């Protein structure tokens, strides 16, 4: 078994990742690839809690910009995360990986209602815990939900899968001089306004001393690789 840096992680995947090459919605082949990433992490010996966004289906801010009531629009975004979680739970189970979806908004005929105690129990039983519905509250994001669940479920790190291999001083696609960090502090992220997660999520992770590991989820096999300390990634930690 390879050596792993963290024994329990919270993996955050944005909804957009699940679109694959599509422009909208859920590409089940991509969900399958994400499930394989999670399987590899489980096989490496780590427990996994998962938060998936909803941006591939609906974003509250986009609805509000078109005149919708923000609270209703955010509730729609929250429901989008539930759809993604259902897809992921189904695919994980079809691959023989036990997964329990828990929703921040009670929907008892669909899945368990989130509770930290029950979530920790499932993790200890070796199940993947899929935390659906973000924080359950409008005006928040699934990044904040991920930081919150990471703290509640006593995860040792928050793994944020993105389309780039870490945090840069500027957008590497626009600025060839952009510098890539191997390590950066929470305070520098906030001070330099680096948009890797929203400030509420960064503050929550900082105050609970949960390192945030930023890496490319597009590279096959990368989650387990980064978990073992290899490959490219940026760790956000306290000074
Ligand atoms: N959302 C919310 N509260 C939460 C989490 C999500 O209101 O705690 C809504 C919000 O409208 C957001 C949408 O759900 O735009 C999808 O979540 P997010 O934008 O975080 O998804 P991602 O960008 O990660 O796919």
């Amino acid at each position: 078994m390879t050596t792993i840096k963290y024994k329990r992680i919270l993996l955050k995947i944005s909804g957009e990742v699940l679109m694959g090459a599509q422009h909208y919605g859920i590409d089940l082949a991509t969900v399958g690839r994400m499930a394989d990433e999670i399987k590899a992490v489980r096989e490496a010996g780590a427990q996994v809690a998962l938060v998936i966004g909803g941006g591939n289906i609906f974003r509250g801010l986009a609805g509000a910009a078109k005149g919708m009531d923000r609270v209703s629009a955010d509730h729609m975004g929250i429901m989008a995360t539930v759809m993604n979680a259902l897809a992921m739970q189904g695919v994980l189970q079809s691959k023989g990986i036990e997964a329990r979806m828990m929703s921040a908004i009670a929907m008892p005929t669909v899945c368990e209602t989130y509770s930290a105690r029950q979530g920790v129990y499932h993790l200890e039983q070796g199940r993947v815990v899929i935390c659906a519905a973000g924080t359950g509250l409008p005006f928040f994001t699934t990044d904040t939900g991920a930081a919150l669940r990471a703290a509640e479920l006593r995860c040792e790190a928050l793994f944020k899968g993105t389309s780039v291999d870490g945090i840069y001083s500027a957008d590497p696609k626009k600025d060839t001089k952009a510098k890539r960090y191997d390590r950066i502090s929470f305070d520098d992220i906030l001070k330099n306004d680096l948009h890797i997660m929203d400030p509420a999520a960064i503050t929550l992770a900082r105050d609970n001393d949960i390192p945030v590991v930023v890496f490319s989820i597009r590279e096959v096999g990368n989650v387990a690789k980064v978990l073992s300390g290899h490959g490219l990634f940026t760790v956000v930690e306290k000074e």
Side-chain angles (χ1 to χ4, degrees):
M1 197 184 279
T2 41
T3 321
I4 52 172
K5 288 185 78 179
Y6 308 103
K7 288 192 287 300
R8 181 181 293 170
I9 63 164
L10 184 305
L11 174 63
K12 162 73 207 297
I13 303 174
S14 76
E16 276 178 14
V17 169
L18 299 192
M19 293 193 301
Q22 299 174 181
H23 296 291
Y24 177 81
I26 302 170
D27 172 42
L28 283 175
T30 306
V31 179
R33 192 178 81 66
M34 289 303 131
D36 290 339
E37 296 282 327
I38 292 161
K39 190 175 185 189
V41 171
R42 288 288 306 112
E43 284 169 356
Q47 298 174 355
V48 187
L50 189 64
V51 167
I52 312 174
N56 54 324
I57 300 170
F58 197 84
R59 277 213 173 86
L61 270 179
K66 289 184 182 146
M68 270 193 80
D69 165 59
R70 173 76 190 265
V71 175
S72 302
D74 277 341
H75 282 149
M76 287 175 68
I78 286 172
M79 293 307 145
T81 74
V82 173
M83 287 196 244
N84 286 335
L86 279 167
M88 181 58 83
Q89 178 178 245
V91 172
L92 282 169
Q93 278 166 353
S94 73
K95 288 177 181 281
I97 307 156
E98 251 206 284
R100 286 295 159 82
M101 171 180 167
M102 309 184 94
S103 171
I105 292 182
M107 41 184 88
T109 53
V110 176
C111 64
E112 285 180 34
T113 305
Y114 176 79
S115 101
R117 184 192 293 255
Q118 196 64 16
V120 167
Y121 173 76
H122 288 316
L123 288 170
E124 284 168 349
Q125 296 301 305
R127 298 173 188 132
V128 174
V129 172
I130 308 172
C131 304
T135 62
L137 300 167
F139 298 96
F140 284 93
T141 64
T142 51
D143 278 349
T144 304
L148 177 65
R149 296 308 185 225
E152 287 184 281
L153 298 171
R154 302 194 296 274
C155 294
E156 294 172 358
L158 194 171
F159 272 47
K160 161 102 177 162
T162 70
S163 53
V164 281
D165 55 14
I167 301 177
Y168 286 76
S169 55
D171 185 345
K173 288 179 195 128
K174 292 180 191 150
D175 184 348
T176 50
K177 291 205 184 75
K179 172 185 177 316
R180 205 185 131 275
Y181 302 100
D182 286 330
R183 193 197 156 274
I184 187 168
S185 71
F186 288 110
D187 290 338
D188 282 342
I189 292 277
L190 293 170
K191 198 167 64 198
N192 299 319
D193 209 13
L194 297 173
H195 293 282
I196 188 63
M197 297 204 300
D198 56 275
I202 292 289
T203 308
L204 206 50
R206 180 194 64 189
D207 294 351
N208 291 287
D209 210 359
I210 300 166
V212 176
V213 181
V214 181
F215 64 100
S216 169
I217 193 101
R218 309 251 173 219
E219 199 184 307
V220 176
N222 215 19
V223 188
K225 192 166 151 189
V226 170
L227 181 71
S228 63
H230 297 106
L232 290 178
F233 56 87
T234 301
V235 186
V236 190
E237 315 175 284
K238 278 196 174 170
E239 304 262 23

